Amino acid sequence: MISRKILGSALLLFQSRANSEGTPLSYGSAIRISHVGSGGHELETGAINFGSGSGQQAVTFPPPGEGSLWLIKSYNGQAHIPSGVTPVKCGSKIRLEHTGSTKNLHTHNFKSPISGNQEVSAYGDDQGEGDDNDNWFVECEDKYWTKGGIFQLKNVVTGVYLSGKPEHAFNSRNGCGNGCPVSGHLEACAVRKPHSGTRFQAKVGIFLSK
């Protein structure tokens, strides 16, 4: 396993020459998750906690280049899978841990603040452990989840898809004015049916392989 401290403090991301587009992603890799429909807004957490709903750590999509690394790891209840050895197959059940806070990408039956869809938060303890609502299916078209390939994330427990839309941005019209730490970010939420806003790519990160 890559040290969370190293990942959380990494200031320079790279696109490995040894891992070209189409290379399978392995457990233990740390990736930036890019939202296709907005032109590359990236998954992020840590700026604020929700002021309504669950009150947990909020997840958003800031503009391109401002996202964080998310660690690919085994699902809640599964034994640890060694880093850099096992590629992730399409359809696999995984967790994604935010390397800066050790909290996992999570969703549950609270309403999101802008769209009223299902809230997406970051949840867990300082060891990266949460609950079954941290588990997601990786939906993709090939045998393996690949660098640069289109994928979707479907929550195992609630059956909804991670989603974002450019029209659901935090701004002064919805109470996020001057000094708001997520101004200009898109809301991250979860929806019942896949659409153009549920498509993602992993092009940048620390990619491990044999």
Side-chain angles (χ1 to χ4, degrees), residues 1-2 7 26-30 71-73 81-84 86 206 208:
M1 177 72 70
I2 298 176
L7 289 174
S26 294
Y27 290 92
S29 294
L71 180 70
I72 303 169
K73 62 183 187 179
I81 297 175
S83 297
T86 305
I206 299 173
L208 301 183

Side-chain angles (χ1 to χ4, degrees), residues 3-13 69 99-101 206:
S3 164
R4 291 190 181 97
K5 184 176 181 181
I6 293 173
L7 289 174
S9 63
L11 299 178
L12 178 64
L13 302 180
L69 289 168
T99 58
S101 65
I206 299 173

Side-chain angles (χ1 to χ4, degrees), residues 148-189:
I150 300 294
F151 67 92
Q152 300 183 116
L153 293 170
K154 183 179 182 180
N155 191 262
V156 173
V157 174
T158 63
V160 292
Y161 289 85
L162 178 66
S163 176
K165 284 187 174 183
E167 56 264 40
H168 295 152
F170 290 94
N171 53 46
S172 58
R173 294 190 299 275
N174 49 48
C176 188
N178 292 335
C180 177
V182 294
S183 180
H185 294 206
L186 308 186
E187 175 195 72
C189 63

Side-chain angles (χ1 to χ4, degrees), residues 16 25 34 36 54 63 70-71 74 78-79 81 90 100 104 126 132 140 150 159 168-169 173 178 190:
S16 172
L25 301 180
S34 177
V36 175
S54 68
W70 295 81
L71 180 70
S74 55
Q78 183 184 30
I81 297 175
C90 292
N104 301 311
D126 59 5
D132 287 347
C140 41
I150 300 294
H168 295 152
R173 294 190 299 275
N178 292 335

Side-chain angles (χ1 to χ4, degrees), residues 36-206:
V36 175
S38 64
H41 281 61
E42 296 174 341
L43 196 68
E44 173 64 298
T45 187
I48 59 170
N49 281 32
F50 287 114
S52 60
S54 68
Q56 293 177 4
Q57 191 167 296
V59 174
T60 61
F61 293 105
E66 298 182 17
S68 289
L69 289 168
W70 295 81
L71 180 70
I72 303 169
K73 62 183 187 179
S74 55
Y75 65 83
N76 190 55
Q78 183 184 30
H80 168 68
I81 297 175
S83 297
V85 175
T86 305
V88 182
K89 292 182 178 180
C90 292
S92 293
K93 187 164 54 172
I94 64 159
R95 286 178 294 172
L96 289 164
E97 179 186 315
H98 179 245
T99 58
S101 65
T102 71
K103 296 186 183 299
N104 301 311
L105 186 67
H106 180 93
T107 190
H108 43 207
N109 292 315
F110 290 91
K111 287 188 177 182
S112 60
I114 298 177
S115 66
N117 290 309
Q118 190 164 295
E119 182 187 277
V120 172
S121 65
Y123 176 76
D125 61 21
D126 59 5
Q127 299 299 312
E129 297 302 322
D131 62 27
D132 287 347
N133 286 66
D134 303 340
N135 295 335
W136 300 81
F137 289 117
V138 180
E139 295 189 355
C140 41
E141 295 182 354
D142 298 317
K143 182 177 181 180
Y144 295 109
W145 184 13
T146 60
K147 179 181 179 182
I150 300 294
F151 67 92
Q152 300 183 116
L153 293 170
K154 183 179 182 180
N155 191 262
V156 173
V157 174
T158 63
V160 292
Y161 289 85
L162 178 66
S163 176
K165 284 187 174 183
E167 56 264 40
H168 295 152
F170 290 94
N171 53 46
S172 58
R173 294 190 299 275
N174 49 48
C176 188
N178 292 335
C180 177
V182 294
S183 180
H185 294 206
L186 308 186
E187 175 195 72
C189 63
V191 297
R192 291 290 174 190
K193 294 182 179 180
H195 59 85
S196 60
T198 62
R199 292 160 57 85
F200 300 93
Q201 290 176 294
K203 290 184 176 182
V204 177
I206 299 173

